[in-house]
């Protein structure tokens, strides 16, 4: 089955700086890559996703890049704010709707 | 998108008992899923809830322990049976409208004593 690795496990950034989280996947058939943000005591919230026919996607301060050849994808958050502090999960799917999740990254934005 | 609610939001149960968790979606969805998230860990798929038929379970999860129902396109239940402290987790319901996007409920926080 699909194996998704996520790094780093924790990330501390100064407010206003950028944060980058990287994931690799094992199944070359994977074609859908969502990112979720989970705040304490809440369910995961879909914040951005990318499909295998696209190399990059942006939505305001967040962007995701995909390198199919290397089988890795990354989340970029620019101009970080305290409300960006949360656990972020990457995931991959082969199109059967089942998601395989990375281990998660705890992001702390220091004011 | 879909808005998903779960009941109960949390519960504390005695070992050997069972708990049924309800998941309600505000619109008809194609797929519904149940995940488990152990404390401080990632999400693991338990099963796909199939409307009108038996759920499809992932490796390591069995129907006798986690019976699932999905009587219609907006509602599903997960029962955690014969609970032990190892079942203490967050149980999450998710739904997809058929475009790969998957939305999650707020979770049910279960503690088994």
């Amino acid at each position: 089955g699909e194996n998704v690795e996520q790094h780093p496990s924790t990330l501390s950034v100064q407010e206003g700086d950028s944060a980058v989280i990287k994931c690799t996947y094992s199944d070359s058939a994977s074609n859908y890559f969502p990112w979720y943000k989970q705040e304490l005591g809440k369910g995961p919230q879909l914040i951005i996703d990318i499909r295998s026919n696209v190399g990059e996607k942006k939505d305001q301060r967040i962007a995701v890049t995909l390198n199919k050849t290397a089988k890795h994808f990354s989340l970029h958050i620019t101009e970080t704010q305290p409300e960006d502090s949360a656990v972020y999960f990457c995931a991959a799917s082969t199109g059967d709707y089942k998601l395989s999740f990375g281990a998660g990254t705890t992001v702390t934005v220091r004011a | 998108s879909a808005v998903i609610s779960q009941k109960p939001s949390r519960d504390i149960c005695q070992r050997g008992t069972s708990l049924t968790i309800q998941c309600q979606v505000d619109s008809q969805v194609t797929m519904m899923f149940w995940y488990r998230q152990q404390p401080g860990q990632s999400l693991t798929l338990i099963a796909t809830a199939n409307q009108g038929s038996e759920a499809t379970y992932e490796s390591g999860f069995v129907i006798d322990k986690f019976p699932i129902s999905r009587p219609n396109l907006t509602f599903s239940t997960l029962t955690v049976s014969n609970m032990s402290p190892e079942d203490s987790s967050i149980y999450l319901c998710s739904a997809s409208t058929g475009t790969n996007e998957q939305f999650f409920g707020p979770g049910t926080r279960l503690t088994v004593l």
Side-chain angles (χ1 to χ4, degrees), chain B residues 59-83:
Chain B
S59 177
F61 298 97
V62 295
I63 187 171
D64 290 347
K65 177 66 176 178
F66 298 102
I68 289 170
S69 77
R70 188 181 172 192
N72 57 51
L73 291 174
T74 63
F75 185 78
S76 178
T77 66
L78 168 75
T79 299
V80 186
S81 303
N82 188 24
M83 289 183 287

PDB file of all heavy atoms in Angstrom, chain B residues 59-83:
ATOM      1  N   SER B  59      -7.082  -3.403   6.430  1.00  0.00           N
ATOM      2  CA  SER B  59      -6.322  -4.431   7.134  1.00  0.00           C
ATOM      3  C   SER B  59      -6.155  -4.048   8.602  1.00  0.00           C
ATOM      4  O   SER B  59      -5.788  -2.917   8.924  1.00  0.00           O
ATOM      5  CB  SER B  59      -4.948  -4.591   6.472  1.00  0.00           C
ATOM      6  OG  SER B  59      -4.171  -5.518   7.180  1.00  0.00           O
ATOM      7  N   GLY B  60      -6.454  -4.997   9.463  1.00  0.00           N
ATOM      8  CA  GLY B  60      -6.318  -4.768  10.894  1.00  0.00           C
ATOM      9  C   GLY B  60      -7.608  -4.378  11.586  1.00  0.00           C
ATOM     10  O   GLY B  60      -7.640  -4.264  12.813  1.00  0.00           O
ATOM     11  N   PHE B  61      -8.648  -4.141  10.831  1.00  0.00           N
ATOM     12  CA  PHE B  61      -9.952  -3.763  11.387  1.00  0.00           C
ATOM     13  C   PHE B  61     -10.994  -4.766  10.925  1.00  0.00           C
ATOM     14  O   PHE B  61     -11.010  -5.161   9.754  1.00  0.00           O
ATOM     15  CB  PHE B  61     -10.339  -2.356  10.942  1.00  0.00           C
ATOM     16  CG  PHE B  61      -9.391  -1.293  11.414  1.00  0.00           C
ATOM     17  CD1 PHE B  61      -8.383  -0.832  10.575  1.00  0.00           C
ATOM     18  CD2 PHE B  61      -9.492  -0.755  12.689  1.00  0.00           C
ATOM     19  CE1 PHE B  61      -7.492   0.149  11.009  1.00  0.00           C
ATOM     20  CE2 PHE B  61      -8.608   0.220  13.134  1.00  0.00           C
ATOM     21  CZ  PHE B  61      -7.606   0.673  12.285  1.00  0.00           C
ATOM     22  N   VAL B  62     -11.869  -5.209  11.859  1.00  0.00           N
ATOM     23  CA  VAL B  62     -12.860  -6.238  11.539  1.00  0.00           C
ATOM     24  C   VAL B  62     -14.251  -5.786  11.930  1.00  0.00           C
ATOM     25  O   VAL B  62     -14.438  -4.969  12.843  1.00  0.00           O
ATOM     26  CB  VAL B  62     -12.516  -7.575  12.227  1.00  0.00           C
ATOM     27  CG1 VAL B  62     -11.218  -8.131  11.670  1.00  0.00           C
ATOM     28  CG2 VAL B  62     -12.452  -7.411  13.740  1.00  0.00           C
ATOM     29  N   ILE B  63     -15.228  -6.349  11.242  1.00  0.00           N
ATOM     30  CA  ILE B  63     -16.622  -5.947  11.424  1.00  0.00           C
ATOM     31  C   ILE B  63     -17.123  -6.240  12.827  1.00  0.00           C
ATOM     32  O   ILE B  63     -17.921  -5.480  13.369  1.00  0.00           O
ATOM     33  CB  ILE B  63     -17.509  -6.615  10.358  1.00  0.00           C
ATOM     34  CG1 ILE B  63     -18.939  -6.077  10.419  1.00  0.00           C
ATOM     35  CG2 ILE B  63     -17.492  -8.130  10.505  1.00  0.00           C
ATOM     36  CD1 ILE B  63     -19.813  -6.535   9.268  1.00  0.00           C
ATOM     37  N   ASP B  64     -16.670  -7.319  13.439  1.00  0.00           N
ATOM     38  CA  ASP B  64     -17.150  -7.662  14.780  1.00  0.00           C
ATOM     39  C   ASP B  64     -16.757  -6.612  15.800  1.00  0.00           C
ATOM     40  O   ASP B  64     -17.476  -6.386  16.768  1.00  0.00           O
ATOM     41  CB  ASP B  64     -16.608  -9.028  15.214  1.00  0.00           C
ATOM     42  CG  ASP B  64     -17.237 -10.162  14.434  1.00  0.00           C
ATOM     43  OD1 ASP B  64     -18.261  -9.917  13.750  1.00  0.00           O
ATOM     44  OD2 ASP B  64     -16.717 -11.285  14.490  1.00  0.00           O
ATOM     45  N   LYS B  65     -15.612  -5.981  15.607  1.00  0.00           N
ATOM     46  CA  LYS B  65     -15.120  -4.967  16.530  1.00  0.00           C
ATOM     47  C   LYS B  65     -15.662  -3.574  16.188  1.00  0.00           C
ATOM     48  O   LYS B  65     -15.971  -2.803  17.077  1.00  0.00           O
ATOM     49  CB  LYS B  65     -13.581  -4.930  16.478  1.00  0.00           C
ATOM     50  CG  LYS B  65     -12.922  -3.868  17.335  1.00  0.00           C
ATOM     51  CD  LYS B  65     -13.133  -4.129  18.821  1.00  0.00           C
ATOM     52  CE  LYS B  65     -12.374  -3.117  19.653  1.00  0.00           C
ATOM     53  NZ  LYS B  65     -12.621  -3.329  21.107  1.00  0.00           N
ATOM     54  N   PHE B  66     -15.800  -3.285  14.902  1.00  0.00           N
ATOM     55  CA  PHE B  66     -16.226  -1.963  14.446  1.00  0.00           C
ATOM     56  C   PHE B  66     -17.387  -2.072  13.450  1.00  0.00           C
ATOM     57  O   PHE B  66     -17.233  -1.726  12.274  1.00  0.00           O
ATOM     58  CB  PHE B  66     -15.054  -1.219  13.788  1.00  0.00           C
ATOM     59  CG  PHE B  66     -13.890  -0.945  14.690  1.00  0.00           C
ATOM     60  CD1 PHE B  66     -12.740  -1.721  14.614  1.00  0.00           C
ATOM     61  CD2 PHE B  66     -13.930   0.086  15.614  1.00  0.00           C
ATOM     62  CE1 PHE B  66     -11.656  -1.474  15.445  1.00  0.00           C
ATOM     63  CE2 PHE B  66     -12.850   0.351  16.448  1.00  0.00           C
ATOM     64  CZ  PHE B  66     -11.715  -0.440  16.360  1.00  0.00           C
ATOM     65  N   PRO B  67     -18.546  -2.536  13.878  1.00  0.00           N
ATOM     66  CA  PRO B  67     -19.679  -2.581  12.951  1.00  0.00           C
ATOM     67  C   PRO B  67     -20.075  -1.186  12.492  1.00  0.00           C
ATOM     68  O   PRO B  67     -20.088  -0.252  13.287  1.00  0.00           O
ATOM     69  CB  PRO B  67     -20.789  -3.262  13.761  1.00  0.00           C
ATOM     70  CG  PRO B  67     -20.352  -3.214  15.178  1.00  0.00           C
ATOM     71  CD  PRO B  67     -18.866  -3.086  15.199  1.00  0.00           C
ATOM     72  N   ILE B  68     -20.375  -1.063  11.207  1.00  0.00           N
ATOM     73  CA  ILE B  68     -20.689   0.224  10.582  1.00  0.00           C
ATOM     74  C   ILE B  68     -22.001   0.086   9.831  1.00  0.00           C
ATOM     75  O   ILE B  68     -22.247  -0.913   9.172  1.00  0.00           O
ATOM     76  CB  ILE B  68     -19.559   0.632   9.613  1.00  0.00           C
ATOM     77  CG1 ILE B  68     -18.293   1.039  10.390  1.00  0.00           C
ATOM     78  CG2 ILE B  68     -19.998   1.769   8.695  1.00  0.00           C
ATOM     79  CD1 ILE B  68     -17.072   1.218   9.512  1.00  0.00           C
ATOM     80  N   SER B  69     -22.810   1.129   9.918  1.00  0.00           N
ATOM     81  CA  SER B  69     -24.027   1.184   9.113  1.00  0.00           C
ATOM     82  C   SER B  69     -24.023   2.462   8.300  1.00  0.00           C
ATOM     83  O   SER B  69     -23.416   3.473   8.685  1.00  0.00           O
ATOM     84  CB  SER B  69     -25.276   1.122   9.998  1.00  0.00           C
ATOM     85  OG  SER B  69     -25.512   2.376  10.607  1.00  0.00           O
ATOM     86  N   ARG B  70     -24.687   2.395   7.134  1.00  0.00           N
ATOM     87  CA  ARG B  70     -24.916   3.598   6.337  1.00  0.00           C
ATOM     88  C   ARG B  70     -26.263   3.413   5.641  1.00  0.00           C
ATOM     89  O   ARG B  70     -26.322   2.959   4.497  1.00  0.00           O
ATOM     90  CB  ARG B  70     -23.798   3.845   5.325  1.00  0.00           C
ATOM     91  CG  ARG B  70     -23.957   5.195   4.650  1.00  0.00           C
ATOM     92  CD  ARG B  70     -22.902   5.479   3.620  1.00  0.00           C
ATOM     93  NE  ARG B  70     -23.243   6.704   2.890  1.00  0.00           N
ATOM     94  CZ  ARG B  70     -22.630   7.077   1.782  1.00  0.00           C
ATOM     95  NH1 ARG B  70     -21.658   6.337   1.266  1.00  0.00           N
ATOM     96  NH2 ARG B  70     -22.987   8.186   1.174  1.00  0.00           N
ATOM     97  N   PRO B  71     -27.338   3.778   6.306  1.00  0.00           N
ATOM     98  CA  PRO B  71     -28.679   3.538   5.764  1.00  0.00           C
ATOM     99  C   PRO B  71     -29.064   4.455   4.611  1.00  0.00           C
ATOM    100  O   PRO B  71     -29.950   4.114   3.829  1.00  0.00           O
ATOM    101  CB  PRO B  71     -29.588   3.785   6.970  1.00  0.00           C
ATOM    102  CG  PRO B  71     -28.807   4.701   7.853  1.00  0.00           C
ATOM    103  CD  PRO B  71     -27.380   4.326   7.672  1.00  0.00           C
ATOM    104  N   ASN B  72     -28.407   5.616   4.496  1.00  0.00           N
ATOM    105  CA  ASN B  72     -28.724   6.536   3.391  1.00  0.00           C
ATOM    106  C   ASN B  72     -27.484   7.337   3.019  1.00  0.00           C
ATOM    107  O   ASN B  72     -26.384   7.069   3.520  1.00  0.00           O
ATOM    108  CB  ASN B  72     -29.895   7.449   3.778  1.00  0.00           C
ATOM    109  CG  ASN B  72     -29.614   8.230   5.054  1.00  0.00           C
ATOM    110  OD1 ASN B  72     -28.584   8.873   5.178  1.00  0.00           O
ATOM    111  ND2 ASN B  72     -30.542   8.162   6.005  1.00  0.00           N
ATOM    112  N   LEU B  73     -27.642   8.323   2.147  1.00  0.00           N
ATOM    113  CA  LEU B  73     -26.495   9.045   1.590  1.00  0.00           C
ATOM    114  C   LEU B  73     -25.953  10.134   2.509  1.00  0.00           C
ATOM    115  O   LEU B  73     -24.965  10.788   2.173  1.00  0.00           O
ATOM    116  CB  LEU B  73     -26.869   9.662   0.238  1.00  0.00           C
ATOM    117  CG  LEU B  73     -27.107   8.656  -0.889  1.00  0.00           C
ATOM    118  CD1 LEU B  73     -27.616   9.361  -2.140  1.00  0.00           C
ATOM    119  CD2 LEU B  73     -25.841   7.873  -1.201  1.00  0.00           C
ATOM    120  N   THR B  74     -26.580  10.364   3.664  1.00  0.00           N
ATOM    121  CA  THR B  74     -26.134  11.447   4.531  1.00  0.00           C
ATOM    122  C   THR B  74     -25.823  11.006   5.960  1.00  0.00           C
ATOM    123  O   THR B  74     -25.452  11.839   6.786  1.00  0.00           O
ATOM    124  CB  THR B  74     -27.200  12.564   4.603  1.00  0.00           C
ATOM    125  OG1 THR B  74     -28.398  12.019   5.197  1.00  0.00           O
ATOM    126  CG2 THR B  74     -27.519  13.103   3.215  1.00  0.00           C
ATOM    127  N   PHE B  75     -25.952   9.731   6.295  1.00  0.00           N
ATOM    128  CA  PHE B  75     -25.839   9.299   7.686  1.00  0.00           C
ATOM    129  C   PHE B  75     -25.094   7.978   7.779  1.00  0.00           C
ATOM    130  O   PHE B  75     -25.283   7.066   6.974  1.00  0.00           O
ATOM    131  CB  PHE B  75     -27.241   9.156   8.292  1.00  0.00           C
ATOM    132  CG  PHE B  75     -27.250   8.826   9.751  1.00  0.00           C
ATOM    133  CD1 PHE B  75     -27.019   9.810  10.705  1.00  0.00           C
ATOM    134  CD2 PHE B  75     -27.493   7.525  10.183  1.00  0.00           C
ATOM    135  CE1 PHE B  75     -27.033   9.501  12.066  1.00  0.00           C
ATOM    136  CE2 PHE B  75     -27.507   7.202  11.533  1.00  0.00           C
ATOM    137  CZ  PHE B  75     -27.280   8.201  12.470  1.00  0.00           C
ATOM    138  N   SER B  76     -24.239   7.884   8.824  1.00  0.00           N
ATOM    139  CA  SER B  76     -23.521   6.640   9.076  1.00  0.00           C
ATOM    140  C   SER B  76     -23.273   6.518  10.574  1.00  0.00           C
ATOM    141  O   SER B  76     -23.223   7.521  11.297  1.00  0.00           O
ATOM    142  CB  SER B  76     -22.188   6.613   8.324  1.00  0.00           C
ATOM    143  OG  SER B  76     -21.461   5.423   8.603  1.00  0.00           O
ATOM    144  N   THR B  77     -23.155   5.287  11.037  1.00  0.00           N
ATOM    145  CA  THR B  77     -22.771   5.049  12.426  1.00  0.00           C
ATOM    146  C   THR B  77     -21.590   4.094  12.491  1.00  0.00           C
ATOM    147  O   THR B  77     -21.442   3.208  11.634  1.00  0.00           O
ATOM    148  CB  THR B  77     -23.921   4.457  13.262  1.00  0.00           C
ATOM    149  OG1 THR B  77     -24.227   3.145  12.788  1.00  0.00           O
ATOM    150  CG2 THR B  77     -25.154   5.338  13.210  1.00  0.00           C
ATOM    151  N   LEU B  78     -20.762   4.287  13.500  1.00  0.00           N
ATOM    152  CA  LEU B  78     -19.650   3.388  13.822  1.00  0.00           C
ATOM    153  C   LEU B  78     -19.836   2.947  15.257  1.00  0.00           C
ATOM    154  O   LEU B  78     -20.016   3.790  16.146  1.00  0.00           O
ATOM    155  CB  LEU B  78     -18.311   4.107  13.669  1.00  0.00           C
ATOM    156  CG  LEU B  78     -17.088   3.383  14.251  1.00  0.00           C
ATOM    157  CD1 LEU B  78     -16.676   2.230  13.353  1.00  0.00           C
ATOM    158  CD2 LEU B  78     -15.919   4.358  14.439  1.00  0.00           C
ATOM    159  N   THR B  79     -19.804   1.659  15.499  1.00  0.00           N
ATOM    160  CA  THR B  79     -19.865   1.137  16.853  1.00  0.00           C
ATOM    161  C   THR B  79     -18.496   0.589  17.228  1.00  0.00           C
ATOM    162  O   THR B  79     -17.891  -0.145  16.455  1.00  0.00           O
ATOM    163  CB  THR B  79     -20.928   0.038  16.985  1.00  0.00           C
ATOM    164  OG1 THR B  79     -22.216   0.594  16.676  1.00  0.00           O
ATOM    165  CG2 THR B  79     -20.966  -0.531  18.404  1.00  0.00           C
ATOM    166  N   VAL B  80     -18.021   0.971  18.390  1.00  0.00           N
ATOM    167  CA  VAL B  80     -16.800   0.392  18.935  1.00  0.00           C
ATOM    168  C   VAL B  80     -17.248  -0.625  19.983  1.00  0.00           C
ATOM    169  O   VAL B  80     -17.846  -0.242  20.997  1.00  0.00           O
ATOM    170  CB  VAL B  80     -15.881   1.456  19.560  1.00  0.00           C
ATOM    171  CG1 VAL B  80     -14.557   0.842  19.982  1.00  0.00           C
ATOM    172  CG2 VAL B  80     -15.636   2.607  18.584  1.00  0.00           C
ATOM    173  N   SER B  81     -17.010  -1.897  19.718  1.00  0.00           N
ATOM    174  CA  SER B  81     -17.581  -2.974  20.530  1.00  0.00           C
ATOM    175  C   SER B  81     -16.583  -3.520  21.538  1.00  0.00           C
ATOM    176  O   SER B  81     -15.363  -3.512  21.300  1.00  0.00           O
ATOM    177  CB  SER B  81     -18.026  -4.115  19.613  1.00  0.00           C
ATOM    178  OG  SER B  81     -18.951  -3.681  18.655  1.00  0.00           O
ATOM    179  N   ASN B  82     -17.127  -4.011  22.648  1.00  0.00           N
ATOM    180  CA  ASN B  82     -16.309  -4.675  23.663  1.00  0.00           C
ATOM    181  C   ASN B  82     -15.012  -3.898  23.907  1.00  0.00           C
ATOM    182  O   ASN B  82     -13.910  -4.406  23.713  1.00  0.00           O
ATOM    183  CB  ASN B  82     -16.000  -6.112  23.229  1.00  0.00           C
ATOM    184  CG  ASN B  82     -15.325  -6.917  24.314  1.00  0.00           C
ATOM    185  OD1 ASN B  82     -15.452  -6.613  25.508  1.00  0.00           O
ATOM    186  ND2 ASN B  82     -14.576  -7.930  23.920  1.00  0.00           N
ATOM    187  N   MET B  83     -15.167  -2.653  24.317  1.00  0.00           N
ATOM    188  CA  MET B  83     -14.034  -1.731  24.377  1.00  0.00           C
ATOM    189  C   MET B  83     -13.000  -2.087  25.429  1.00  0.00           C
ATOM    190  O   MET B  83     -13.319  -2.622  26.496  1.00  0.00           O
ATOM    191  CB  MET B  83     -14.557  -0.310  24.620  1.00  0.00           C
ATOM    192  CG  MET B  83     -15.262   0.278  23.414  1.00  0.00           C
ATOM    193  SD  MET B  83     -15.798   1.964  23.673  1.00  0.00           S
ATOM    194  CE  MET B  83     -17.182   1.715  24.773  1.00  0.00           C
TER     195      MET B  83
END
